[in-house]
Amino acid sequence: MAMMPSWQDKTFGGRKLGGKIRAALWLETEVGEGNIFTKAQLRQAFPGDAQIDRRVRDLRDHGWRIDTSRDDPALKQEEQRYVTKGAEVWIPGQAKTAKHKNSLTDAQRRKVWQDDNFLCRTCGVGVGESYGDGGIELSKLNVARREVLMADGSTEFQLVTECKRCGTRAGERQVDLGELLSTVKALAPLERKVLAGWMEADRRALSPLEKLWGVYRTLPADARAVVKQAVTDED
Ligand SMILES: [Zn+2]
């Protein structure tokens, strides 16, 4: 593992450490994931940097999750919670990998939507559709960055289509691709075939069993009893 500079270092390996990097190191070593810090503590640690609040906010563009009282009602107004670490910005090159939301061009955005069939990958709503909950709100698609833990243990931020509603509801989501792949490998051949069919169609068709259940549950009691009898009868 590479050596980590101290948050108090102003240079490391001949490189100048900026406020953002030092703020990241401070969160990692002094606060620790899951813990709360206040703006006063932050300013006390970095008395020379008037922009230190902004440096911490900028870390979000590198996948760092830092909640405020707006994200987490359990926090007081002056408190923030360091939820999860993002890119290790103190490693040369790591800080450059993040792409700011606004830096996406219309063409890049459209490419992400196209790859996702113009569906919110979180709730499945299409573009400009109603949510089917009786509300008048129509969906608006955005592009979100999803933290993907790769099978080799590295982390990537990949772009995904997400509707505005899903984007405001949840915090950062993370997916463990390695775990997912081992679950796929453990599937029985029939399960794998069914899954492959859904993936090909990009939707889940109801199985004959589910269709049967769907009809069965709507039947009157007498009719249900007949069907139930047929199922439990052994030939
Ligand atoms: Zn959605």
Side-chain angles (χ1 to χ4, degrees):
M1 202 184 121
M3 249 245 299
M4 214 167 113
S6 157
W7 65 270
Q8 283 157 315
D9 290 343
K10 295 204 167 136
T11 58
F12 186 73
R15 204 163 63 100
K16 193 173 176 292
L17 298 180
K20 185 167 70 185
I21 292 176
R22 294 180 60 211
L25 292 163
W26 180 78
L27 284 173
E28 192 54 11
T29 53
E30 300 296 315
V31 180
E33 277 188 353
N35 296 320
I36 291 171
F37 64 97
T38 64
K39 282 188 177 178
Q41 289 170 329
L42 185 64
R43 290 195 192 121
Q44 202 174 15
F46 298 95
D49 193 341
Q51 301 283 326
I52 197 66
D53 289 343
R54 223 181 85 193
R55 312 269 180 246
V56 167
R57 273 203 305 277
D58 287 347
L59 284 171
R60 294 192 175 137
D61 292 337
H62 299 277
W64 290 63
R65 181 166 162 203
I66 297 148
D67 283 357
T68 65
S69 56
R70 261 178 318 189
D71 309 304
D72 180 350
L75 293 172
K76 298 195 189 87
Q77 213 200 329
E78 69 275 14
E79 292 177 334
Q80 297 183 62
R81 190 192 307 277
Y82 167 34
V83 184
T84 42
K85 187 175 82 172
E88 297 182 335
V89 290
W90 50 87
I91 298 174
Q94 284 289 304
K96 292 196 184 82
T97 55
K99 285 190 187 68
H100 198 271
K101 247 180 216 166
N102 299 334
S103 72
L104 281 184
T105 63
D106 283 349
Q108 285 171 314
R109 211 180 298 268
R110 207 167 310 120
K111 166 89 169 61
V112 175
W113 290 342
Q114 216 154 28
D115 289 347
D116 287 337
N117 280 334
F118 296 91
L119 299 174
C120 167
R121 288 287 141 178
T122 301
C123 72
V125 78
V127 58
E129 284 181 2
S130 87
Y131 283 94
D133 57 5
I136 53 160
E137 184 192 0
L138 296 182
S139 71
K140 194 171 175 300
L141 297 184
N142 284 332
V143 171
R145 265 173 318 213
R146 186 74 78 249
E147 187 176 359
V148 181
L149 195 59
M150 308 299 283
D152 65 3
S154 65
T155 302
E156 263 185 28
F157 287 87
Q158 299 181 358
L159 299 175
V160 67
T161 307
E162 193 172 69
C163 75
K164 207 172 154 196
R165 186 193 269 194
C166 289
T168 50
R169 274 195 179 174
E172 305 284 315
R173 292 183 182 82
Q174 195 206 41
V175 59
D176 187 337
L177 206 56
E179 191 185 286
L180 202 61
L181 290 175
S182 54
T183 311
V184 167
K185 286 205 180 86
L187 291 177
L190 180 65
E191 292 173 315
R192 209 185 269 225
K193 208 178 139 201
V194 171
L195 184 61
W198 294 344
M199 287 171 172
E200 190 52 43
D202 200 23
R203 63 191 296 272
R204 187 177 73 100
L206 293 181
S207 72
L209 214 54
E210 286 169 312
K211 280 185 199 157
L212 266 173
W213 169 253
V215 177
Y216 166 80
R217 60 188 287 273
T218 65
L219 296 176
D222 285 352
R224 283 206 309 276
V226 173
V227 179
K228 190 173 177 185
Q229 187 64 46
V231 170
T232 45
D233 266 357
E234 292 191 34
D235 297 346

